[in-house]
Amino acid sequence: MNENDRAQLAAQLEAVDAVTFFDEDTPRELIAAVLPDILVKGADWNHFVAGREEVEAAGGRVETIPLEPGFSTTNLVDAIVKR
């Protein structure tokens, strides 16, 4: 799936408010511009969360969540495509 297809799929999820793209190495500048109340990242990136400083400085919080084995984005997309 290309990024537009993935974005359309993600945008259909009830918990998703918005989907966007960025060309930089990290989404730090985008996150600093949006300043979400809660920034969520998978625990595999616990060592570095782009935008953490900006979100926390604005009073927001950063949460890392554990990964669920077998539930990667790649596996999810593969399962949908096979249907």
Side-chain angles (χ1 to χ4, degrees):
M1 288 184 115
N2 64 42
E3 71 180 7
N4 286 326
D5 291 340
R6 291 175 67 145
Q8 287 179 356
L9 177 63
Q12 297 302 310
L13 300 173
E14 185 176 334
V16 174
D17 292 327
V19 177
T20 190
F21 304 104
F22 60 94
D23 292 322
E24 299 77 25
D25 291 336
T26 74
R28 188 191 64 75
E29 290 182 26
L30 176 62
I31 292 167
V34 175
L35 285 178
D37 295 324
I38 304 170
L39 175 60
V40 179
K41 191 73 177 157
D44 58 330
W45 281 93
N46 202 19
H47 62 285
F48 174 74
V49 177
R52 174 189 292 276
E53 294 82 11
E54 292 82 0
V55 169
E56 291 177 342
R61 71 178 205 259
V62 176
E63 299 287 336
T64 56
I65 58 174
L67 302 180
E68 293 291 328
F71 287 94
S72 69
T73 304
T74 301
N75 288 345
L76 177 61
V77 169
D78 287 346
I80 292 168
V81 169
K82 288 178 183 174
R83 289 184 182 180

